[in-house]
Amino acid sequence: MRKFSVKDLTLAAAVAATYAALTMALPGPSFGYAQLRVAEALTVLPFLFPATAPGLLVGCLVANLLSPYGAVDVICGTAATGLAAILTMKAPNRWLAPLPPVICNGVIIGAMIAWYEVGFTDKFWATFSVTGTGVALGELAACYLLGGLLLKGLPKISFFRDRMTPKGLA
């Protein structure tokens, strides 16, 4: 494993700031049953640039400080994004790279919202089916549509191409 360089730290910080700023600028669709968090498009970046994973984690943590779900979203939301970033880094190709955030957030955030709304009662699974689906659909749009544009466009820019992993260039 190579060392985390100053360039890596700078990239991670830029991603953290961008993620937090996008989420804070659009708080309405960023939280809730059916969320379309535009910043989640950035969760595909670890496929191309592994150094962005810590930045996504920090950016999500900062953004979730504004969550209407409080500390539970700071913990669960940050964990979901961190897990998704690690799995995205390990994705075998760019078509599967957006899938980990869709699954992780659909399951973890869907369950978190269901628990927050109804607790672990007999209504949990019905509520989870609605919240998990809503979150996963928003993630699907953010990661495959917007994130897909990043995955396709960034390798065409020489500035970024020189900093990518080899599989990101394939």
Side-chain angles (χ1 to χ4, degrees):
M1 180 178 235
R2 68 182 188 85
K3 289 188 176 187
F4 205 70
S5 70
V6 173
K7 286 182 181 180
D8 292 337
L9 181 61
T10 304
L11 180 60
V15 168
T18 303
Y19 187 102
L22 280 171
T23 304
M24 291 177 192
L26 303 165
S30 293
F31 302 99
Y33 276 44
Q35 51 181 262
L36 177 57
R37 188 178 279 199
V38 174
E40 285 292 307
L42 300 174
T43 60
V44 302
L45 292 178
F47 177 74
L48 301 173
F49 313 100
T52 61
L56 288 167
L57 189 77
V58 171
C60 183
L61 184 135
V62 169
N64 285 343
L65 292 172
L66 298 175
S67 173
Y69 301 105
V72 71
D73 198 10
V74 172
I75 295 165
C76 293
T78 304
T81 298
L83 178 61
I86 291 167
L87 295 173
T88 299
M89 268 193 298
K90 298 176 185 290
N93 60 57
R94 73 180 178 116
W95 302 108
L96 293 175
L99 193 57
V102 174
I103 294 170
C104 290
N105 283 285
V107 172
I108 295 170
I109 303 306
M112 180 206 73
I113 295 172
W115 171 81
Y116 187 86
E117 296 294 330
V118 298
F120 289 121
T121 64
D122 57 340
K123 297 178 183 176
F124 176 81
W125 291 108
T127 306
F128 171 66
S129 69
V130 173
T131 58
T133 301
V135 171
L137 288 174
E139 286 289 316
L140 197 67
C143 295
Y144 271 96
L145 296 178
L146 300 175
L149 292 173
L150 290 173
L151 288 172
K152 187 172 179 156
L154 289 177
K156 295 178 181 178
I157 302 169
S158 63
F159 176 81
F160 294 113
R161 191 172 41 246
D162 297 340
R163 292 160 175 77
M164 284 182 195
T165 61
K167 68 180 178 179
L169 297 170

